[in-house]
């Protein structure tokens, strides 16, 4: 979706080479990943499927997962997951952003609480949900699909977890 497209634009501006997308969501992360792939492919660059990693659901497995030392830039499908990773990386004495950079999609308060604060791509979730509900309503009640939908503003907030 739009958030993934914004992430991709941010990464392309930085000419970031080693990108890992980490997803612990049910479905939303896949939409973000597809948005990233769309923008990268338009620029003649491609994200490989190996760069999409599912985060283990088990907390102990997640802690071990970050010992892999992926390097580069970690993009999380949610700010909560990104903030948790910053904590785990700190525990493993992996310096953020010096050794590895972290960013996430979302506007959760955890992005501001973790140290360093998390770079995020944020959008108006309430407006997005309202728009989806309106489109579904029109489709269900009136029997046709809306082709014109309102713009959802998406922005990147650069904080201490990326240079």
């Amino acid at each position: 979706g739009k958030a993934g497209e914004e992430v991709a634009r941010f990464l392309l501006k930085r000419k970031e080479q080693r990108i890992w997308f980490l997803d612990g969501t049910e479905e939303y992360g896949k939409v973000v990943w597809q948005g990233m792939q769309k923008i990268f492919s338009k620029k003649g660059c491609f994200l490989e499927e190996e760069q999409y990693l599912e985060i283990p659901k088990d907390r102990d497995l997640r802690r071990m997962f970050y010992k892999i030392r992926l390097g580069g830039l970690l993009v999380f499908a949610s700010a909560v997951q990104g903030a948790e990773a910053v904590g785990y990386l700190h525990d493993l004495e992996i310096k953020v952003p010096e050794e590895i950079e972290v960013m996430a999609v979302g506007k959760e308060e955890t992005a501001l609480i973790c140290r360093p604060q998390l770079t995020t791509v944020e959008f108006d979730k309430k407006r997005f949900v309202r728009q989806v509900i309106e489109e579904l309503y029109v489709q269900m009640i009136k029997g046709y699909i809306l082709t014109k939908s309102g713009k959802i503003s998406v922005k990147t907030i650069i904080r201490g977890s990326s240079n």
Side-chain angles (χ1 to χ4, degrees):
K2 295 284 184 203
E5 292 175 17
E6 177 68 14
V7 169
R9 287 186 195 95
F10 174 75
L11 298 173
L12 285 165
K13 278 186 211 167
R14 297 172 40 123
K15 298 180 171 61
E16 194 61 52
Q17 298 295 312
R18 295 180 65 200
I19 300 164
W20 303 96
F21 184 79
L22 294 98
D23 184 12
T25 67
E26 295 299 319
E27 287 297 321
Y28 176 71
K30 288 179 180 56
V31 174
V32 174
W33 173 248
Q34 289 165 353
M36 289 173 62
Q37 287 179 310
K38 175 182 168 184
I39 298 301
F40 269 83
S41 65
K42 281 184 178 179
K43 297 291 183 180
C45 306
F46 297 94
L47 294 171
E48 304 295 328
E49 287 303 317
E50 297 81 44
Q51 291 174 271
Y52 176 93
L53 303 170
E54 288 194 21
I55 301 171
K57 301 252 185 266
D58 180 77
R59 187 169 188 240
D60 293 328
L61 287 176
R62 283 196 311 273
R63 183 179 295 279
M64 288 173 33
F65 180 78
Y66 297 111
K67 287 184 181 180
I68 297 170
R69 291 186 182 253
L70 296 167
L73 191 141
L74 307 180
V75 179
F76 286 86
S78 107
V80 172
Q81 295 164 355
E84 178 189 65
V86 168
Y88 286 153
L89 293 166
H90 177 77
D91 293 347
L92 295 166
E93 297 180 4
I94 299 171
K95 293 183 177 118
V96 176
E98 295 84 359
E99 294 177 53
I100 192 164
E101 295 182 70
V102 181
M103 71 179 296
V105 174
K107 198 175 179 177
E108 287 80 13
E109 193 69 24
T110 53
L112 302 173
I113 294 170
C114 70
R115 294 288 177 257
Q117 290 184 339
L118 194 59
T119 293
T120 55
V121 169
E122 301 177 357
F123 66 98
D124 186 344
K125 283 185 187 175
K126 287 181 184 175
R127 184 172 175 192
F128 173 75
V129 169
R130 191 176 324 114
Q131 180 178 316
V132 169
I133 290 170
E134 286 172 4
E135 289 174 6
L136 286 172
Y137 173 78
V138 168
Q139 186 176 354
M140 288 170 37
I141 303 301
K142 299 191 177 180
Y144 60 87
I145 299 171
L146 283 177
T147 54
K148 184 180 180 184
S149 58
K151 290 250 183 206
I152 301 295
S153 67
V154 179
K155 61 184 174 183
T156 302
I157 310 292
I158 300 170
R159 297 189 184 97
S161 68
S162 66
N163 291 326

